PDB file of all heavy atoms in Angstrom:
ATOM      1  N   TYR A 296      74.857 105.775  38.072  1.00  0.00           N
ATOM      2  CA  TYR A 296      73.563 105.177  38.305  1.00  0.00           C
ATOM      3  C   TYR A 296      72.403 106.249  38.092  1.00  0.00           C
ATOM      4  O   TYR A 296      71.677 106.552  39.021  1.00  0.00           O
ATOM      5  CB  TYR A 296      73.442 104.507  39.712  1.00  0.00           C
ATOM      6  CG  TYR A 296      74.546 103.478  39.904  1.00  0.00           C
ATOM      7  CD1 TYR A 296      75.779 103.799  40.321  1.00  0.00           C
ATOM      8  CD2 TYR A 296      74.256 102.176  39.567  1.00  0.00           C
ATOM      9  CE1 TYR A 296      76.737 102.810  40.529  1.00  0.00           C
ATOM     10  CE2 TYR A 296      75.256 101.199  39.630  1.00  0.00           C
ATOM     11  CZ  TYR A 296      76.499 101.490  40.193  1.00  0.00           C
ATOM     12  OH  TYR A 296      77.476 100.548  40.329  1.00  0.00           O
ATOM     13  N   ALA A 309      68.320 101.498  40.127  1.00  0.00           N
ATOM     14  CA  ALA A 309      69.199 101.336  39.002  1.00  0.00           C
ATOM     15  C   ALA A 309      69.984  99.994  39.096  1.00  0.00           C
ATOM     16  O   ALA A 309      70.731  99.687  38.166  1.00  0.00           O
ATOM     17  CB  ALA A 309      70.141 102.494  38.857  1.00  0.00           C
ATOM     18  N   HIS A 310      69.895  99.341  40.186  1.00  0.00           N
ATOM     19  CA  HIS A 310      70.475  98.073  40.378  1.00  0.00           C
ATOM     20  C   HIS A 310      69.860  97.242  41.422  1.00  0.00           C
ATOM     21  O   HIS A 310      69.132  97.894  42.293  1.00  0.00           O
ATOM     22  CB  HIS A 310      72.017  98.125  40.563  1.00  0.00           C
ATOM     23  CG  HIS A 310      72.435  98.949  41.746  1.00  0.00           C
ATOM     24  ND1 HIS A 310      73.764  99.139  42.036  1.00  0.00           N
ATOM     25  CD2 HIS A 310      71.775  99.679  42.687  1.00  0.00           C
ATOM     26  CE1 HIS A 310      73.859  99.912  43.122  1.00  0.00           C
ATOM     27  NE2 HIS A 310      72.666 100.269  43.527  1.00  0.00           N
ATOM     28  N   SER A 312      71.325  95.970  43.817  1.00  0.00           N
ATOM     29  CA  SER A 312      72.156  96.082  45.099  1.00  0.00           C
ATOM     30  C   SER A 312      71.395  96.786  46.129  1.00  0.00           C
ATOM     31  O   SER A 312      71.713  96.688  47.293  1.00  0.00           O
ATOM     32  CB  SER A 312      73.464  96.834  44.793  1.00  0.00           C
ATOM     33  OG  SER A 312      74.193  96.189  43.796  1.00  0.00           O
ATOM     34  N   GLN A 315      70.680  94.747  49.186  1.00  0.00           N
ATOM     35  CA  GLN A 315      71.721  94.192  50.060  1.00  0.00           C
ATOM     36  C   GLN A 315      71.462  94.555  51.582  1.00  0.00           C
ATOM     37  O   GLN A 315      71.526  93.611  52.386  1.00  0.00           O
ATOM     38  CB  GLN A 315      73.076  94.760  49.660  1.00  0.00           C
ATOM     39  CG  GLN A 315      73.618  94.087  48.404  1.00  0.00           C
ATOM     40  CD  GLN A 315      75.183  94.307  48.234  1.00  0.00           C
ATOM     41  OE1 GLN A 315      75.795  94.652  49.185  1.00  0.00           O
ATOM     42  NE2 GLN A 315      75.627  93.987  47.063  1.00  0.00           N
ATOM     43  N   ARG A 342      67.307 102.494  34.223  1.00  0.00           N
ATOM     44  CA  ARG A 342      68.326 103.536  34.042  1.00  0.00           C
ATOM     45  C   ARG A 342      67.910 104.530  33.020  1.00  0.00           C
ATOM     46  O   ARG A 342      67.272 104.143  32.015  1.00  0.00           O
ATOM     47  CB  ARG A 342      69.660 102.903  33.729  1.00  0.00           C
ATOM     48  CG  ARG A 342      70.302 102.298  34.980  1.00  0.00           C
ATOM     49  CD  ARG A 342      71.736 101.906  34.808  1.00  0.00           C
ATOM     50  NE  ARG A 342      72.012 100.954  35.878  1.00  0.00           N
ATOM     51  CZ  ARG A 342      73.147 100.349  36.025  1.00  0.00           C
ATOM     52  NH1 ARG A 342      74.159 100.605  35.163  1.00  0.00           N
ATOM     53  NH2 ARG A 342      73.356  99.489  37.014  1.00  0.00           N
ATOM     54  N   GLN A 356      68.174  92.306  36.780  1.00  0.00           N
ATOM     55  CA  GLN A 356      69.471  91.900  37.360  1.00  0.00           C
ATOM     56  C   GLN A 356      69.245  90.764  38.393  1.00  0.00           C
ATOM     57  O   GLN A 356      68.165  90.554  38.855  1.00  0.00           O
ATOM     58  CB  GLN A 356      70.064  93.021  38.055  1.00  0.00           C
ATOM     59  CG  GLN A 356      70.737  94.076  37.186  1.00  0.00           C
ATOM     60  CD  GLN A 356      71.723  95.035  37.947  1.00  0.00           C
ATOM     61  OE1 GLN A 356      71.573  95.229  39.106  1.00  0.00           O
ATOM     62  NE2 GLN A 356      72.588  95.613  37.202  1.00  0.00           N
ATOM     63  N   GLU A 358      71.171  89.512  41.905  1.00  0.00           N
ATOM     64  CA  GLU A 358      72.204  90.017  42.915  1.00  0.00           C
ATOM     65  C   GLU A 358      72.375  88.940  43.949  1.00  0.00           C
ATOM     66  O   GLU A 358      71.329  88.341  44.501  1.00  0.00           O
ATOM     67  CB  GLU A 358      71.517  91.214  43.608  1.00  0.00           C
ATOM     68  CG  GLU A 358      72.409  91.882  44.700  1.00  0.00           C
ATOM     69  CD  GLU A 358      73.232  92.989  44.029  1.00  0.00           C
ATOM     70  OE1 GLU A 358      72.954  93.390  42.860  1.00  0.00           O
ATOM     71  OE2 GLU A 358      74.204  93.401  44.737  1.00  0.00           O
ATOM     72  N   GLY A 359      73.624  88.550  44.204  1.00  0.00           N
ATOM     73  CA  GLY A 359      73.845  87.525  45.237  1.00  0.00           C
ATOM     74  C   GLY A 359      74.512  88.064  46.426  1.00  0.00           C
ATOM     75  O   GLY A 359      75.306  89.047  46.340  1.00  0.00           O
ATOM     76  N   PHE A 396      83.613  99.484  42.771  1.00  0.00           N
ATOM     77  CA  PHE A 396      82.289  99.685  43.224  1.00  0.00           C
ATOM     78  C   PHE A 396      82.393 100.065  44.673  1.00  0.00           C
ATOM     79  O   PHE A 396      83.081  99.329  45.416  1.00  0.00           O
ATOM     80  CB  PHE A 396      81.393  98.395  43.083  1.00  0.00           C
ATOM     81  CG  PHE A 396      81.356  97.842  41.655  1.00  0.00           C
ATOM     82  CD1 PHE A 396      82.214  96.766  41.306  1.00  0.00           C
ATOM     83  CD2 PHE A 396      80.499  98.307  40.757  1.00  0.00           C
ATOM     84  CE1 PHE A 396      82.223  96.217  40.044  1.00  0.00           C
ATOM     85  CE2 PHE A 396      80.427  97.791  39.454  1.00  0.00           C
ATOM     86  CZ  PHE A 396      81.321  96.746  39.106  1.00  0.00           C
ATOM     87  N   PHE A 398      80.700  99.498  47.145  1.00  0.00           N
ATOM     88  CA  PHE A 398      80.194  98.571  48.154  1.00  0.00           C
ATOM     89  C   PHE A 398      80.895  97.264  48.296  1.00  0.00           C
ATOM     90  O   PHE A 398      80.535  96.378  49.036  1.00  0.00           O
ATOM     91  CB  PHE A 398      78.715  98.273  47.908  1.00  0.00           C
ATOM     92  CG  PHE A 398      78.347  98.258  46.440  1.00  0.00           C
ATOM     93  CD1 PHE A 398      78.221  97.081  45.753  1.00  0.00           C
ATOM     94  CD2 PHE A 398      78.061  99.433  45.778  1.00  0.00           C
ATOM     95  CE1 PHE A 398      77.866  97.111  44.384  1.00  0.00           C
ATOM     96  CE2 PHE A 398      77.729  99.485  44.444  1.00  0.00           C
ATOM     97  CZ  PHE A 398      77.703  98.265  43.716  1.00  0.00           C
ATOM     98  N   VAL A 399      82.045  97.158  47.541  1.00  0.00           N
ATOM     99  CA  VAL A 399      82.894  95.962  47.671  1.00  0.00           C
ATOM    100  C   VAL A 399      84.375  96.379  47.754  1.00  0.00           C
ATOM    101  O   VAL A 399      84.817  97.383  47.218  1.00  0.00           O
ATOM    102  CB  VAL A 399      82.693  94.950  46.532  1.00  0.00           C
ATOM    103  CG1 VAL A 399      81.499  94.059  46.789  1.00  0.00           C
ATOM    104  CG2 VAL A 399      82.597  95.673  45.191  1.00  0.00           C
ATOM    105  N   GLY A 425      79.503  92.359  38.062  1.00  0.00           N
ATOM    106  CA  GLY A 425      80.366  92.943  38.979  1.00  0.00           C
ATOM    107  C   GLY A 425      80.273  92.137  40.344  1.00  0.00           C
ATOM    108  O   GLY A 425      79.155  91.547  40.622  1.00  0.00           O
ATOM    109  N   CYS A 426      81.381  92.040  41.110  1.00  0.00           N
ATOM    110  CA  CYS A 426      81.378  91.224  42.300  1.00  0.00           C
ATOM    111  C   CYS A 426      82.535  91.714  43.205  1.00  0.00           C
ATOM    112  O   CYS A 426      83.311  92.543  42.871  1.00  0.00           O
ATOM    113  CB  CYS A 426      81.494  89.797  41.957  1.00  0.00           C
ATOM    114  SG  CYS A 426      82.906  89.355  40.951  1.00  0.00           S
ATOM    115  N   GLY A 427      82.609  91.097  44.382  1.00  0.00           N
ATOM    116  CA  GLY A 427      83.732  91.407  45.305  1.00  0.00           C
ATOM    117  C   GLY A 427      83.342  91.041  46.736  1.00  0.00           C
ATOM    118  O   GLY A 427      82.287  90.512  46.964  1.00  0.00           O
ATOM    119  N   ALA A 448      79.564  89.479  47.347  1.00  0.00           N
ATOM    120  CA  ALA A 448      78.288  89.830  46.655  1.00  0.00           C
ATOM    121  C   ALA A 448      78.558  89.961  45.172  1.00  0.00           C
ATOM    122  O   ALA A 448      79.672  90.156  44.743  1.00  0.00           O
ATOM    123  CB  ALA A 448      77.725  91.139  47.168  1.00  0.00           C
ATOM    124  N   TRP A 449      77.519  89.774  44.337  1.00  0.00           N
ATOM    125  CA  TRP A 449      77.693  90.020  42.922  1.00  0.00           C
ATOM    126  C   TRP A 449      76.358  90.584  42.401  1.00  0.00           C
ATOM    127  O   TRP A 449      75.295  90.353  42.976  1.00  0.00           O
ATOM    128  CB  TRP A 449      78.069  88.749  42.212  1.00  0.00           C
ATOM    129  CG  TRP A 449      76.904  87.729  42.176  1.00  0.00           C
ATOM    130  CD1 TRP A 449      75.887  87.713  41.280  1.00  0.00           C
ATOM    131  CD2 TRP A 449      76.710  86.655  43.006  1.00  0.00           C
ATOM    132  NE1 TRP A 449      75.047  86.639  41.564  1.00  0.00           N
ATOM    133  CE2 TRP A 449      75.536  85.997  42.684  1.00  0.00           C
ATOM    134  CE3 TRP A 449      77.428  86.170  44.162  1.00  0.00           C
ATOM    135  CZ2 TRP A 449      74.997  84.929  43.286  1.00  0.00           C
ATOM    136  CZ3 TRP A 449      76.914  85.046  44.786  1.00  0.00           C
ATOM    137  CH2 TRP A 449      75.647  84.428  44.431  1.00  0.00           C
ATOM    138  N   GLY A 450      76.427  91.224  41.243  1.00  0.00           N
ATOM    139  CA  GLY A 450      75.220  91.669  40.571  1.00  0.00           C
ATOM    140  C   GLY A 450      75.430  91.703  39.065  1.00  0.00           C
ATOM    141  O   GLY A 450      76.486  92.184  38.627  1.00  0.00           O
TER     142      GLY A 450
HETATM  143  N1  LIG B 440      75.327  96.916  41.236  1.00  0.00           N
HETATM  144  C1  LIG B 440      76.370  96.930  40.301  1.00  0.00           C
HETATM  145  C2  LIG B 440      75.880  97.556  38.959  1.00  0.00           C
HETATM  146  O1  LIG B 440      74.748  97.290  38.610  1.00  0.00           O
HETATM  147  C3  LIG B 440      76.845  95.493  40.009  1.00  0.00           C
HETATM  148  C4  LIG B 440      77.571  94.937  41.276  1.00  0.00           C
HETATM  149  C5  LIG B 440      78.946  95.084  41.327  1.00  0.00           C
HETATM  150  C6  LIG B 440      76.864  94.329  42.190  1.00  0.00           C
HETATM  151  C7  LIG B 440      79.651  94.518  42.438  1.00  0.00           C
HETATM  152  C8  LIG B 440      77.494  93.744  43.337  1.00  0.00           C
HETATM  153  C9  LIG B 440      78.885  93.896  43.398  1.00  0.00           C
HETATM  154  O2  LIG B 440      76.876  93.100  44.306  1.00  0.00           O
HETATM  155  O3  LIG B 440      79.514  93.281  44.458  1.00  0.00           O
HETATM  156  O4  LIG B 440      76.602  98.125  38.263  1.00  0.00           O
END
Side-chain angles (χ1 to χ4, degrees):
Y296 300 89
H310 55 178
S312 304
Q315 285 200 15
R342 282 190 201 178
Q356 285 193 337
E358 182 92 12
F396 303 97
F398 34 97
V399 277
C426 55
W449 71 82

